[in-house]
Amino acid sequence: MAVPVFCNSCSCEPRKPTPRFFLTSCGHVFCEVCLQKGKKDECLICKAACQTLVLSKQTSPDIQGLFMGLDVLCKKYSKEVTQISEFQEKHRKHLLSYYKQKAAKLEESLKKVTQQIQQIQGMKPPEKTPQLPFS
């Protein structure tokens, strides 16, 4: 269910024929009639300096999202979040695979070098134990 839109000053709701509704940069909503009663660029509620934006079907999706029900927003973004999650999981798996392959190559190199060291050590003539002159 969408969040109901109503004027924060007179509490009227959009009807036909309806005055246009505006969203202020401070987060208040006003009908055109009430907005014209106030000072230009000043909120009727909080008196803050503000800018206004006409609420219409051409309003940006980000602003329209402020008036959507949470159930609709959840459904809308659930698919996007799922796609992002799947992409990131695929990316992590690819990176993990790369590091596993790299680790396997390093282990194989270490094994070869260890074998070469053992072979070299086996080729050395045994070290002679120094004999004491008094034996």
Side-chain angles (χ1 to χ4, degrees), residues 44-59:
L44 293 166
I45 301 295
C46 65
K47 306 298 182 202
C50 66
Q51 296 177 342
T52 58
L53 174 72
V54 177
L55 295 176
S56 70
K57 291 181 181 180
Q58 287 75 38
T59 303

Side-chain angles (χ1 to χ4, degrees), residues 50-117:
C50 66
Q51 296 177 342
T52 58
L53 174 72
V54 177
L55 295 176
S56 70
K57 291 181 181 180
Q58 287 75 38
T59 303
S60 76
D62 291 340
I63 299 297
Q64 288 183 23
L66 296 173
F67 299 94
M68 284 185 195
L70 292 180
D71 57 335
V72 175
L73 285 174
C74 287
K75 287 177 186 174
K76 179 180 177 183
Y77 292 110
S78 175
K79 183 178 180 182
E80 186 176 335
V81 168
T82 299
Q83 289 173 336
I84 291 168
S85 175
E86 288 171 355
F87 169 81
Q88 290 179 0
E89 182 63 22
K90 182 180 172 184
H91 188 68
R92 277 190 296 273
K93 285 181 180 179
H94 181 75
L95 188 61
L96 181 61
S97 173
Y98 167 77
Y99 282 124
K100 282 182 178 180
Q101 289 175 359
K102 190 171 182 174
K105 287 178 183 178
L106 290 171
E107 286 174 359
E108 185 62 32
S109 294
L110 178 62
K111 189 176 182 180
K112 287 179 183 177
V113 169
T114 303
Q115 288 174 350
Q116 289 174 347
I117 290 172

